[in-house]
Each structure stands twice: as structure tokens, then as C-alpha cells.
Amino acid sequence: MRSPRSTPNNPIGPNEMKELKRVYEQLCYFAEKAQAMERLKVIRDTLAEYHRPLTSSMRQRDFFLSASSSRQRQSVSASEQEQKMLALREEQSELERELSEIRGRPVQQIRPQDTAAALKSLGKRATKREVQNMMWEVDEKLDGVIDWDEFHLNFERNIRDSSGLEPANFYHMVQFMIYDHDNNGMVSIDETMNMLYARVGREKMEATITKLFGGDDGAPIKEVGHQGGEIDFVRYWEVVVREQQKRFQDSDLGKIIAEKKQRKKRLT
């Protein structure tokens, strides 16, 4: 079955709109949710490990070694271990209630600290001024926060932009998070292809994939990581910013500015 395609009047296809809403909800109050979500992951992994059946000799060996690796370690009884697991389950419930409260707030919005925390989680540290500039790109109402209408408008403007003039730093972060469907901080070829094909078609999709996952100047794709190859946010940022600059240079305005600079240079 052919994937739903975007149209000139509606550049955001149904699947991409769904992912856009997911990322918006993820970014709202991100600074408050991030620590709780990180702790929840640790708790869930611990509980899953505790309840995983000992089905193989290797699993039994690892469990034995982890429980008796040091003679100085005091033995932990089954009841004590169960009490620890119970405490973790209670902490899990409390964290889930906290996250539910945040997500259920009647007003959902993205604040500067949420943008900063999201960038940090992606491995990119930004100054306060850089975060403020990113917020300014989207904050049409100039009230210091980003709501859904502003978020959606900024994304659509950047999709339509062919000149490279549209402020796009916030958009670049959002687009990466859309591609990163499993929230592992990496974008894979498979994840990117699924989204790009519906928006731009096969030919442009392949060109974009090569730029993102290949070497500079169109070098072959390097299949490093899972799902055909992966890149992190820093690599993604470098590529998309460079491509935006090229798009501006190739635009009519970019050519006019370049010609004026050349004239000025000849006259001096």
C-alpha cells in the first residue's frame, strides 16, 4: 500500500502530523518530565531484570556471579530483595502519577528551559542566548512560550521554505525528534526514509538520505549502527545547517547578494 502523501495545500501528511503532535507533547514541560522519565526507565529495566526467568545456563551463571562476586558482600535474603522491588514499584507509581499530572495540565506549552533540556538530552549544549533565539523563531505571540499553533506554523513554514531564509534552528531539533521515533537519541536510515518518502518522494528522499548518512560531498552511505545506519544529533545538525546555507546561496536573493559582494570587491 502506498504511504499517504502530503500535498501542496497540506505539506504535512497524516503520519507526519501524528509524529509532530507526539514531539510537541514530548517537548511541553520537558525539563520537568526528563528526570522523572530517566528514573522510570532505570526502574522498569531493574524490575524487568528481576522478573526475567532464569532460562539459560549463561543467565543463571550471570545471576550467581552478580550475587556473589564479593566475599565481603552480605547475602541478601529473598524477602529483602522483594522489599526492594516493592519500594521500586511504589516509586514507579509515584513517578507515573507525577508525569500524568504534568501531561494533564490544561495549558500545554514549551518554555525556554524545556528547549534547553531537550537540546542537552540530544547531546548539544546551547547558551541561554542561543535558546532564546530558537524560541524567538517560533514565539509569534512574544509571550515567552510556544503553544501548539505556533509550533505547527513554524514547522509548516520550514517545510515550504525553498529560499533558506526561514529561521530553522528550532525546526531542525523538532525534525530530528520526529525521525527519532524510538527516542534513543539517534536517527536511523529506516526511520528517516519512512517519513521523507511520504513528503518528498523517492528521488529527493534518496538525495537527502545520502547527505545525512553519507560522507561529505555525496560520499557513499556508511552503514554504521542499527537499521541501516545511524547518526546522532550533532551530525544531523551540521548537515542540515550546511544544506540550508547552500539553499540560500542558490536562491535568487542569495545570488543577488553574492553578485553585489563581487561588484564591491572589484571596485575596491
Side-chain angles (χ1 to χ4, degrees), residues 7 10 19 21 36 82 87 100 134 137 150 166 179 199 216 218 228 230 251 267:
T7 65
N10 184 19
E19 293 301 307
K21 290 179 179 178
E82 187 58 38
S100 180
M134 288 177 69
E137 294 175 0
E150 293 167 325
E166 190 69 36
Y179 291 149
R199 188 200 297 171
D216 296 333
E230 292 179 319
S251 69
L267 292 173

Side-chain angles (χ1 to χ4, degrees), residues 67 73-82 84:
R73 181 182 302 167
Q74 294 180 349
S75 61
V76 179
S77 68
S79 61
E80 288 174 324
Q81 188 72 4
E82 187 58 38
K84 288 184 178 181

Side-chain angles (χ1 to χ4, degrees), residues 220-258:
I221 292 173
K222 301 173 184 177
E223 295 193 10
V224 178
H226 302 290
Q227 298 180 330
E230 292 179 319
I231 56 172
D232 60 16
F233 182 61
V234 174
R235 161 71 183 178
Y236 177 86
W237 182 277
E238 290 173 353
V239 173
V240 294
V241 168
R242 185 172 65 239
E243 288 302 310
Q244 184 180 10
Q245 291 171 345
K246 288 181 181 178
R247 195 161 65 247
F248 170 71
Q249 291 167 356
D250 292 338
S251 69
D252 292 339
L253 180 59
K255 290 176 182 177
I256 290 171
I257 292 175

Side-chain angles (χ1 to χ4, degrees), residues 43-268:
I43 291 174
R44 286 168 179 162
D45 289 346
T46 302
L47 290 173
E49 177 68 17
Y50 177 72
H51 291 293
R52 187 156 66 97
L54 301 175
T55 55
S56 69
S57 58
M58 182 177 292
R59 169 76 179 114
Q60 292 172 349
R61 183 201 65 190
D62 292 344
F63 184 83
F64 175 77
L65 289 175
S66 65
S68 58
S69 58
S70 172
R71 292 181 180 178
Q72 296 178 350
R73 181 182 302 167
Q74 294 180 349
S75 61
V76 179
S77 68
S79 61
E80 288 174 324
Q81 188 72 4
E82 187 58 38
Q83 286 177 358
K84 288 184 178 181
M85 294 303 107
L86 179 60
L88 284 178
R89 282 191 285 269
E90 290 175 352
E91 184 182 358
Q92 178 184 13
S93 297
E94 181 60 32
L95 289 170
E96 287 172 346
R97 280 194 295 270
E98 179 184 333
L99 287 172
S100 180
E101 182 277 322
I102 295 173
R103 290 168 178 150
R105 290 173 185 172
V107 177
Q108 292 290 308
Q109 57 193 11
I110 303 167
R111 307 160 301 172
Q113 61 264 44
D114 301 318
T115 299
L119 287 169
K120 184 178 178 182
S121 74
L122 293 172
K124 183 174 178 60
R125 292 189 176 274
T127 65
K128 186 176 180 180
R129 184 61 175 271
E130 287 171 334
V131 171
Q132 288 174 339
N133 288 340
M134 288 177 69
M135 295 289 295
W136 171 83
E137 294 175 0
V138 193
D139 184 14
E140 296 286 327
K141 298 173 186 173
L142 300 177
D143 56 359
V145 296
I146 297 169
D147 62 23
W148 165 252
D149 290 337
E150 293 167 325
F151 186 85
H152 176 262
L153 179 62
N154 175 264
F155 190 81
E156 185 169 328
R157 280 178 174 172
N158 274 279
I159 287 179
R160 293 181 184 275
D161 180 43
S162 60
S163 66
L165 284 172
E166 190 69 36
N169 286 336
F170 191 91
Y171 163 78
H172 293 326
M173 178 185 72
V174 170
Q175 184 66 85
F176 182 90
M177 294 176 73
I178 287 176
Y179 291 149
D180 182 20
H181 187 73
D182 56 7
N183 292 321
N184 71 342
M186 303 288 285
V187 163
S188 71
I189 290 180
D190 290 350
E191 287 173 321
T192 310
M193 284 175 64
N194 291 336
M195 198 62 62
L196 277 175
Y197 177 73
R199 188 200 297 171
V200 301
R202 184 179 184 85
E203 185 176 344
K204 289 184 179 180
M205 176 201 73
E206 290 178 347
T208 302
I209 291 292
T210 299
K211 289 171 184 175
L212 286 173
F213 296 91
D216 296 333
D217 301 323
I221 292 173
K222 301 173 184 177
E223 295 193 10
V224 178
H226 302 290
Q227 298 180 330
E230 292 179 319
I231 56 172
D232 60 16
F233 182 61
V234 174
R235 161 71 183 178
Y236 177 86
W237 182 277
E238 290 173 353
V239 173
V240 294
V241 168
R242 185 172 65 239
E243 288 302 310
Q244 184 180 10
Q245 291 171 345
K246 288 181 181 178
R247 195 161 65 247
F248 170 71
Q249 291 167 356
D250 292 338
S251 69
D252 292 339
L253 180 59
K255 290 176 182 177
I256 290 171
I257 292 175
E259 188 177 340
K260 284 183 178 179
K261 286 182 178 179
Q262 287 295 326
R263 263 191 231 148
K264 187 175 180 181
K265 189 176 180 180
R266 286 196 296 267
L267 292 173
T268 56

Side-chain angles (χ1 to χ4, degrees), residues 3-16:
S3 300
R5 292 290 299 274
S6 58
T7 65
N9 292 330
N10 184 19
I12 306 176
N15 188 43
E16 190 165 28

